[in-house]
Amino acid sequence: MLEVLLDATVRAGTPILFATLGAIINERAGIINLGIEGLMLIGALSGFAATFTTGSLLLGVLAAFAAAFVAGSIHALICVQLRGNQIVSGLALTMFGIGITALFGRGVVGQTINGFERHAVPLLSELPVIGKAFFNQDWLIYFSFLLVFMIWFFLYHSRWGLNLRTVGENPTAADACGIPVNLYRFLAVACGSGFVGIGGAYLSLSYTPMWIENMTAGRGWIAVALVIFASWSSFRALFGAYLFGGVTAMQLRFQAMGTTVSAHVLQMLPYIFTIVVLVISTLRMQKG
């Protein structure tokens, strides 16, 4: 029972993890991106359409990254180059993502593909309790583990990462040191958006290998809140994403068990939990 729940937690938390990591890169550059939900949808449809057309899951992931990269570049152009309002631009990006995927996804609604298969890691997958949950998964989940470490190393153990954090925390000082502030911000927003797109692709290529309109179901908004909960740390983002994934997995299991609690109440649980976590995180930051 516990192994099954842990496995469902990892799978449910992975798209949120990708989205949160991408949003962290955005905000480390000093740019707020409320378009995460739209970017995830763009990535989900692009990845599914590319795989459905070519039969290649790798091309699907690359297409999802590229499409979200381009969409994120629009947000970067508005906020970095044109100095537009970040909140308005992000909300517009979300509405754009919802609309364009509904329009161009009509022809593939309900179509299915052969999604990512599980690959067990020798020895590790045989560990009790956690083995199958963490080490008998598909390649995108393994890549999410790697990405957590890559982002941590980049931000705290590379010169480019130090420059990026300086750009986000004190752009005036960064400019005085000769760091191209606008270039760093533009690339951070675009690349971070690409990783968000992979989070959307995970939904349509692995979690539910088909395209369903608005299939992200609010996960992008959870990721926005999770950035604050994680204090812009990739490792805390991993913990937080699985925490939310666990809540989602439990409410789905409760529904499958035929509980007397209303299904609408159960569907609200992840978002109620998001609000509670956001309030606690905000209070913690104020005390600090």
Side-chain angles (χ1 to χ4, degrees):
M1 175 65 178
L2 181 57
E3 288 184 352
V4 174
L5 184 59
L6 277 176
D7 179 77
T9 294
V10 172
R11 293 181 63 79
T14 296
I16 301 175
L17 176 59
F18 274 115
T20 304
L21 293 174
I24 286 175
I25 295 174
N26 281 201
E27 296 203 16
R28 278 297 186 183
I31 301 297
I32 298 172
N33 191 349
L34 296 183
I36 304 300
E37 181 81 0
L39 289 169
M40 289 185 75
L41 283 169
I42 290 172
L45 177 59
S46 301
F48 180 83
T51 301
F52 183 74
T53 303
T54 65
S56 170
L57 290 167
L58 177 59
L59 286 179
V61 174
L62 293 177
F65 181 89
F69 183 97
V70 172
S73 297
I74 298 173
H75 180 61
L77 176 65
I78 293 171
C79 298
V80 178
Q81 300 295 333
L82 303 179
R83 301 188 184 279
N85 187 288
Q86 298 177 19
I87 305 300
V88 174
S89 177
L91 292 175
L93 181 57
T94 286
M95 291 185 285
F96 171 75
I98 293 172
I100 197 171
T101 54
L103 176 63
F104 289 101
R106 288 181 299 180
V108 290
V109 170
Q111 299 288 345
T112 60
I113 58 171
N114 294 321
F116 280 96
E117 297 179 353
R118 294 174 183 255
H119 297 274
V121 178
L123 299 180
L124 292 178
S125 61
E126 299 175 6
L127 292 172
V129 184
I130 65 171
K132 292 183 178 180
F134 291 94
F135 303 108
N136 185 26
Q137 297 289 359
D138 59 63
W139 291 117
L140 276 183
I141 290 181
Y142 294 142
F143 177 61
S144 71
F145 297 159
L146 178 62
L147 190 60
V148 169
F149 285 93
M150 289 172 59
I151 291 176
W152 166 77
F153 184 86
F154 171 77
L155 289 175
Y156 297 101
H157 296 277
S158 74
R159 184 176 183 83
W160 289 348
L162 175 62
N163 290 346
L164 180 64
R165 287 189 290 125
T166 305
V167 164
E169 295 169 10
N170 195 331
T172 303
D175 184 62
C177 293
I179 300 173
V181 174
N182 285 356
L183 178 61
Y184 267 85
R185 283 184 164 174
F186 189 96
L187 291 177
V189 173
C191 291
S193 298
F195 291 129
V196 174
I198 295 178
Y202 177 81
L203 291 171
S204 61
L205 300 182
S206 180
Y207 193 67
T208 307
M210 62 188 301
W211 167 250
I212 303 171
E213 187 175 325
N214 200 26
M215 68 185 306
T216 52
R219 289 177 175 87
W221 297 111
I222 292 177
V224 171
L226 191 53
V227 172
I228 301 173
F229 170 77
S231 300
W232 299 271
S233 164
S234 60
F235 289 109
R236 291 197 191 105
L238 177 68
F239 170 76
Y242 289 162
L243 188 63
F244 282 99
V247 174
T248 302
M250 282 191 293
Q251 65 97 358
L252 291 174
R253 180 156 291 274
F254 285 150
Q255 290 185 54
M257 291 169 59
T259 179
T260 56
V261 180
S262 170
H264 300 293
V265 174
L266 292 175
Q267 290 170 1
M268 289 167 56
L269 286 179
Y271 309 105
I272 294 173
F273 189 66
T274 301
I275 296 172
V276 172
V277 165
L278 191 57
V279 170
I280 293 173
S281 301
T282 304
L283 292 175
R284 184 186 63 189
M285 292 172 62
Q286 289 178 346
K287 289 180 179 180

